[in-house]
Amino acid sequence: MTTTSVGIVGLGLIGGSLGLSLRAQGREVIGIAQREETCQLALARGVVDVASTQLSRLASAAVIFICTPIPAIAPTVKQLVPHLAPTTILTDVASVKQPILTAIAPLWDNFVGGHPMAGTAAQGITAAQADLFVGAPYVLTPEPQTPAASVAQVAALIESLGARLAYCSAADHDRAVAWISHLPLFASATLIAACEAEPEATVLALARQFASSGFRDTSRVGGGNPALGEAIARANREELLRVLYRYRQTLDGAIAQIEAADWAGLEQWLTATARARPDYLQTNPDSP
Amino acid sequence: MTTTSVGIVGLGLIGGSLGLSLRAQGREVIGIAQREETCQLALARGVVDVASTQLSRLASAAVIFICTPIPAIAPTVKQLVPHLAPTTILTDVASVKQPILTAIAPLWDNFVGGHPMAGTAAQGITAAQADLFVGAPYVLTPEPQTPAASVAQVAALIESLGARLAYCSAADHDRAVAWISHLPLFASATLIAACEAEPEATVLALARQFASSGFRDTSRVGGGNPALGEAIARANREELLRVLYRYRQTLDGAIAQIEAADWAGLEQWLTATARARPDYLQTNPDSP
């Protein structure tokens, strides 16, 4: 274990959890938050060794995790780089990669794109937990020109979190997460919005009253942070549209089977979805 | 508490849980299963006092819950009624009500339609639990001609389970559950089926590898029992199509906003879904 100090910009759920986990391994963590209040909270909860609202405090960090919301990543890097030595490695945690790489390329060479596939329903530093990344996929999307030694250093940090390290291209990443993260968000939000469009007040009231665990689970990601949903759609627009078109086409197929009263076909289709689902639950099985 | 004996036909998750809960209150429960093996399991787990594969064993029951799959309900009642005294009350637990009422009307007058909004990911008698209905909505859909005393007797049993008793018309019930139970199932199955249509093997493999808790929750009800999904679509076809058309229209609206890069509009829409969702979580809040 080295004692290299690690910087974290943005002390929310992901940044806070990174701090807790890295400090538990004895690393020095320097955290930057926009608000002094968050700095105090981070110190009180043991998320960081040093907290500041000033990016200049990161001059001594060897690796810096940018954990801000997506729209703030490039502006943050722009403000940060005048304070850094050329050897400093930057990495991010955004759920889209191609637009981030494109935006950072002219600003800093020594950048390794990353995306931890971990989260909870709760948000913010108060939801941070040291074991958030244990067993979860954590993807790195190095480019051909990314320094191999920098990739190796970020990879070592990520493996130290207990995460399942994976590599792929930024394009493949953005296409894959469009399917399993961004499409679920919009399919789920559409469910809530469609229900709200029920014209009969009696039926709408009964629907709200009768909604059970099936509705709760299917609507969860569609009822999350609106700014995050907007940022994802904006950043991964092309891939999101691609999967939404396919989703609409698949929906049309199911509707056509029900219209045609093709019950054997419908049961066959549902059998295929039931059989396919476990392939997507390797790291997140259903609770017992 | 009376000692009236209660019959249960079909000893799966719902029938088994009814048995456990009613017996815990000191009622005599007579259970009927198709297979002798299930009868033995029901006796061993304390789900019933008496178990049999013969419907004639229910001659002495005052109230009988029909807990078979939807397509078996009317055939079961047809076979059952020759053995019953005219005062015997029948009730069911199917997730659609209008087609059941229509099918039972010519067979038995003393029938009270019912639907407990309770379930778990697991199925079958081994998943049965005495507290399955505690706090869950349990709807009765009596018709104008249903004997009031029969409704009251079923209502008393349901309240004794700790369930939240509600009444509505069968038509309103079927329309409301189309929104919050049947639409989620098909929106969720469509998600899985759409992902599976990804043409690039590399991306599909990454999608499966990266799928996290968001995908797990959104896909849960679409990866359930195919026969149940088919039976629901068949029995509630008209209402299901009605909500699917609205869902498709709502989806088209979201797609149009993303196509138009109307980010302010999209965030407004996502803000509305986030605000609406808690209205549907009154009895099933998110876990902490």
Side-chain angles (χ1 to χ4, degrees), chain B residues 40 55 59 77 96 112 133 142 144 146 198 231 233 243 258 264 273 283:
Chain B
Q40 293 311 315
L55 289 168
V77 171
V96 289
V112 183
F133 307 102
T146 312
E198 163 60 46
V243 301
I258 298 167
T273 63
T283 54

Side-chain angles (χ1 to χ4, degrees), chain B residues 2-265:
Chain B
T2 69
T3 54
T4 323
S5 79
V6 175
I8 301 174
V9 185
L11 300 173
L13 171 66
I14 299 292
S17 298
L18 278 171
L20 285 173
S21 180
L22 294 168
R23 282 194 77 224
Q25 302 167 45
R27 291 185 194 277
E28 191 198 34
V29 173
I30 306 167
I32 308 295
Q34 266 194 319
R35 296 183 303 153
E36 182 56 37
E37 188 191 337
T38 310
C39 293
Q40 293 311 315
L41 205 54
L43 286 166
R45 292 179 61 94
V47 165
V48 294
D49 295 284
V50 178
S52 172
T53 60
Q54 303 300 314
L55 289 168
S56 56
R57 278 301 275 109
L58 293 175
S60 65
V63 178
I64 300 172
F65 287 81
I66 314 290
C67 304
T68 68
I70 294 173
I73 294 176
T76 299
V77 171
K78 206 165 197 171
Q79 287 173 52
L80 178 62
V81 294
H83 305 290
L84 305 181
T87 52
T88 312
I89 301 167
L90 298 189
T91 184
D92 77 324
V93 297
S95 56
V96 289
K97 297 272 59 78
Q98 195 62 71
I100 302 292
L101 295 185
T102 306
I104 304 299
L107 303 173
W108 199 249
D109 289 334
N110 213 358
F111 179 81
V112 183
H115 180 203
M117 312 274 175
T120 64
Q123 289 169 3
I125 192 168
T126 51
Q129 46 192 82
D131 61 355
L132 186 69
F133 307 102
V134 175
Y138 196 126
V139 190
L140 295 181
T141 60
E143 300 277 271
Q145 71 278 13
T146 312
S150 303
V151 178
Q153 213 167 325
V154 174
L157 280 174
I158 285 162
E159 290 195 314
S160 80
L161 304 171
R164 294 155 57 113
L165 182 62
Y167 296 95
C168 68
S169 72
D172 282 351
H173 168 276
D174 290 359
R175 188 160 280 197
V177 296
W179 283 119
I180 51 82
S181 175
H182 306 168
L183 174 58
L185 193 160
F186 284 91
S188 175
T190 300
L191 171 64
I192 302 170
C195 290
E196 289 286 296
E198 163 60 46
E200 276 186 47
T202 316
V203 174
L204 182 58
L206 288 172
R208 288 173 175 163
Q209 184 187 346
F210 296 166
S212 185
S213 56
F215 186 88
R216 180 195 62 208
D217 289 357
T218 317
S219 67
R220 184 172 69 77
V221 295
N225 182 350
L228 179 63
E230 185 269 347
I232 282 170
R234 189 194 281 251
N236 205 22
R237 177 166 172 261
E238 199 181 320
E239 293 303 335
L240 176 59
L241 282 173
R242 180 175 166 271
V243 301
L244 280 168
Y245 293 147
R246 175 65 82 163
Y247 183 78
R248 180 164 59 186
Q249 191 184 345
T250 310
L251 182 69
D252 284 341
I255 289 173
Q257 279 183 316
I258 298 167
E259 285 172 334
D262 176 9
W263 307 125

Side-chain angles (χ1 to χ4, degrees), chain A residues 196 203-212, chain B residues 176 180 276 279-283:
Chain A
E196 290 285 296
V203 174
L204 182 58
L206 289 172
R208 288 173 174 164
Q209 184 186 345
F210 295 166
S212 185
Chain B
I180 51 82
D279 291 337
Y280 296 80
L281 304 187
Q282 293 159 34
T283 54

